[in-house]
């Protein structure tokens, strides 16, 4: 298994209060990319939100390959959004991207 840092972009289609953003971050905290060498050295934030509601969630996942890692990251982010009270159509996600790979050979 390999540890991947995956970035999942999305857009909040309505104003999301700070308390909801904090809740999303709390739910993603176990997958914080700062647990990896890349995340620590690059000071990657778990969740960043830009003007206009665009956001990026960066998570750490263990997977056998890139495709599995990207799919798992999307599932984690969707679950965090849903469990924080946002419907899928309120915060659509874009394509997940591998930000870094931390493997031991």
């Amino acid at each position: 298994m390999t540890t991947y840092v995956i970035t999942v972009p999305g857009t909040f289609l309505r104003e999301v209060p700070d308390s909801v953003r904090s809740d999303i971050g709390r739910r993603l905290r176990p997958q914080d990319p700062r647990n990896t060498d890349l995340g620590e050295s690059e000071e990657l934030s778990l969740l960043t939100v830009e003007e206009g509601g665009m956001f990026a969630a960066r998570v750490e996942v263990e997977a056998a390959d890139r495709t599995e890692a990207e799919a798992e990251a999307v599932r984690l982010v969707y679950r965090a959004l849903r469990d924080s009270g946002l419907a899928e159509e309120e915060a659509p996600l874009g394509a997940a991207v591998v930000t870094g790979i931390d493997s031991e050979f």
Side-chain angles (χ1 to χ4, degrees), residues 35-76:
N35 296 329
T36 65
D37 290 338
L38 174 73
E40 185 177 340
S41 67
E42 297 296 320
E43 298 182 10
L44 295 178
S45 298
L46 188 59
L47 180 68
T48 56
V49 181
E50 304 294 331
E51 273 189 50
M54 294 185 307
F55 67 88
R58 292 172 192 85
V59 294
E60 168 193 342
V61 296
E62 294 262 332
D65 60 37
R66 175 187 181 141
T67 302
E68 184 182 316
E70 290 170 344
E72 177 62 15
V74 168
R75 280 190 294 274
L76 290 168

Side-chain angles (χ1 to χ4, degrees), residues 22-33 46-47 57-60 73 76-81:
S22 294
D23 191 50
I24 294 166
R26 183 183 58 76
R27 291 174 189 283
L28 292 173
R29 184 68 50 211
Q31 286 78 38
D32 193 334
L46 188 59
L47 180 68
R58 292 172 192 85
V59 294
E60 168 193 342
L76 290 168
V77 174
Y78 267 132
R79 189 176 331 138
L81 293 169

